[in-house]
Amino acid sequence: DKGGFRHFMAKEIAEQPAVLADAIAHYLPDGLHLPLDFSDVDRLTLVACGTAHYACHVAKYWFEQIARLPVEIDIASEFRYRDPVLSPRQWAVFVSQSGETADTLAALRHASGKVGKTVAVVNVATSSIARDVDVALPILAGVEVGVASTKAFSCQLMVLLVMALKAAHDRGVLDDAALAAHLADIRALPGLMNQAMTVAQPVAALADDLAEAQDILFLGRGPIYPLALEGALKLKELSYIHAEGYASGELKHGPIALIDAHVPVIVLAPRDALFEKTVSNMQEVMARHGRVLLISDERGIREAGADCWRTIRMPEVPALLAPLLYAIPAQLLAYHTAIAKGTDVDQPRNLAKSVTVE
Ligand code: F6R
């Protein structure tokens, strides 16, 4: 049932404030409730495929910044073949919407018995991955039908963020007051997500122009860099337009050669500690006549939006939560561009919802 929406994807994007509120009610009923104690763990390895892997990539920034806990991230199809160094002082975390992705399941089997604990961050509670780990943490996104993962991504991020905060508190690097402040911010997130849904209109207005592009670049820095990768993945899988995500600072090491007046460059730039750096990378693009779409908040657009091709205004958001909020424009850009191109949004060619073969 599409609930009055044209596609499951549109419905699932719109559901994000509500399902995140469910996850918040589950993990933060009052304080922070998570059945894991990070006091004695030295290192985490986060393993997943596709969009779930990008959630892990964001989480690496969170665990390292907030909890000072070293994190490795792996694509599941690479993990077991590179024969990773694993130890009992380390935990392995497997992130999967379906819980049936063959490579992720094989990675779990490879790690089991070699690490201190295996953990799943999973949507389907009865899945193989949920059953085979020591601790399964539900993301509570509800059934996701659209092949492109949307609400599962934001709920994966939510659970990973709660884990990072728990780790920080357990390891004594985040005091009670700082934790409480972060939890208050998280409780306000569904409201901000609702506000961010209003970008659907300006995004839809851009879609015809984006649909004509041959190549599109997404740029971001810090924890927003994986969002650039996710925006590019969504766009290519749904609209079949070639897209790539880069860390903005990496542009001058090669990809800037691609820039000309035909390549839209989408800059995801919440006003965080790296905003000025992102803006200077963006100006390098504009100096080469790149067509920049800047996605930032009101002040960010006022400070840096003047010569951009287009701008999209987002609500202001605490830096920690920006990856969750900026998932919305990334998803909507792919959705509306695909509609403008007339592709099958809920069932893109060559893709399956659950990849159960290696
Ligand atoms: C992209 C997408 C895929 C999945 C990937 C992992 O929109 O949906 O990249 O994220 O196939 O699937 P799960 O999370 O079920 O293991």
Side-chain angles (χ1 to χ4, degrees):
D1 177 18
K2 294 182 193 143
F5 288 89
R6 199 168 147 198
H7 299 96
F8 281 109
M9 185 183 179
K11 171 172 174 266
E12 289 162 2
I13 291 172
E15 276 171 0
Q16 288 176 107
V19 292
L20 283 168
D22 291 343
I24 292 167
H26 182 86
Y27 289 102
L28 316 179
D30 31 57
L32 195 163
H33 286 243
L34 195 78
L36 289 173
D37 182 345
F38 289 84
S39 311
D40 281 326
V41 57
D42 286 351
R43 165 178 298 272
L44 298 180
T45 182
L46 309 182
V47 184
C49 301
T51 289
H53 172 71
Y54 296 142
C56 296
H57 197 162
V58 173
K60 176 180 167 72
Y61 286 88
W62 284 336
F63 277 108
E64 294 188 342
Q65 278 170 9
I66 315 166
R68 309 306 301 153
L69 181 58
V71 170
E72 281 170 32
I73 52 172
D74 261 281
I75 294 169
S77 57
E78 289 293 316
F79 180 72
R80 68 192 190 282
Y81 297 114
R82 76 178 172 85
D83 197 9
V85 180
L86 300 173
S87 87
R89 302 278 309 164
Q90 163 183 1
W91 293 355
V93 182
F94 301 86
V95 180
S96 176
Q97 187 286 127
S98 62
E100 300 296 347
T101 299
D103 283 314
T104 312
L105 185 59
L108 163 60
R109 296 204 165 127
H110 182 83
S112 292
K114 301 189 185 86
V115 294
K117 203 187 278 287
T118 56
V119 179
V121 173
V122 69
N123 198 29
V124 181
T126 52
S127 61
S128 307
I129 290 173
R131 277 197 317 262
D132 284 8
V133 285
D134 298 321
V135 178
L137 302 173
I139 64 166
L140 305 160
V143 177
E144 191 178 66
V145 178
V147 163
S149 191
T150 53
K151 62 177 180 169
F153 177 67
S154 45
C155 289
Q156 286 161 354
L157 286 177
M158 176 56 71
V159 175
L160 289 163
L161 177 58
V162 168
M163 287 171 73
L165 291 171
K166 179 73 163 56
H169 194 252
D170 291 346
R171 290 162 59 79
V173 293
L174 188 71
D175 63 25
D176 289 346
L179 175 63
H182 287 314
L183 298 188
D185 285 345
I186 291 177
R187 290 200 176 89
L189 181 71
L192 278 183
M193 295 288 272
N194 259 322
Q195 282 179 40
M197 291 296 166
T198 58
V199 303
Q201 274 178 2
V203 165
L206 280 166
D208 283 337
D209 282 324
L210 292 180
E212 281 175 15
Q214 298 255 305
D215 310 279
I216 298 181
L217 297 185
F218 284 79
L219 303 182
R221 292 190 78 123
I224 299 298
Y225 162 42
L227 264 293
L229 299 172
E230 166 65 359
L233 174 64
K234 282 281 167 295
L235 193 83
K236 63 191 139 191
E237 75 179 317
L238 296 178
S239 72
Y240 316 146
I241 295 171
H242 171 240
E244 287 191 69
Y246 281 101
S248 329
E250 185 64 9
L251 205 66
K252 57 176 108 33
H253 301 286
I256 201 159
L258 295 170
I259 304 293
D260 63 21
H262 304 289
V263 181
V265 180
I266 300 173
V267 181
L268 300 167
R271 229 165 11 79
D272 56 17
L274 293 170
F275 181 71
E276 310 291 323
K277 304 269 178 206
T278 307
V279 168
S280 85
N281 300 141
M282 183 180 96
Q283 279 156 353
E284 292 159 10
V285 171
M286 299 204 291
R288 278 131 191 118
H289 311 290
R291 274 202 290 169
V292 170
L293 162 59
L294 173 64
I295 305 182
S296 186
D297 58 29
E298 189 173 0
R299 220 178 100 193
I301 288 172
R302 196 167 58 233
E303 285 172 12
D307 297 318
C308 292
W309 170 55
R310 300 283 171 77
T311 58
I312 287 181
R313 186 161 57 84
M314 294 282 288
E316 278 191 35
V317 59
L320 197 61
L321 299 177
L324 285 133
L325 203 70
Y326 280 68
I328 292 174
Q331 294 162 354
L332 288 170
L333 279 163
Y335 177 75
H336 287 288
T337 306
I339 303 244
K341 287 208 73 168
T343 55
D344 185 345
V345 173
D346 280 333
Q347 190 49 263
R349 69 186 181 202
N350 308 340
L351 294 175
K353 180 66 185 158
S354 178
V355 184
T356 53
V357 291
E358 186 180 335

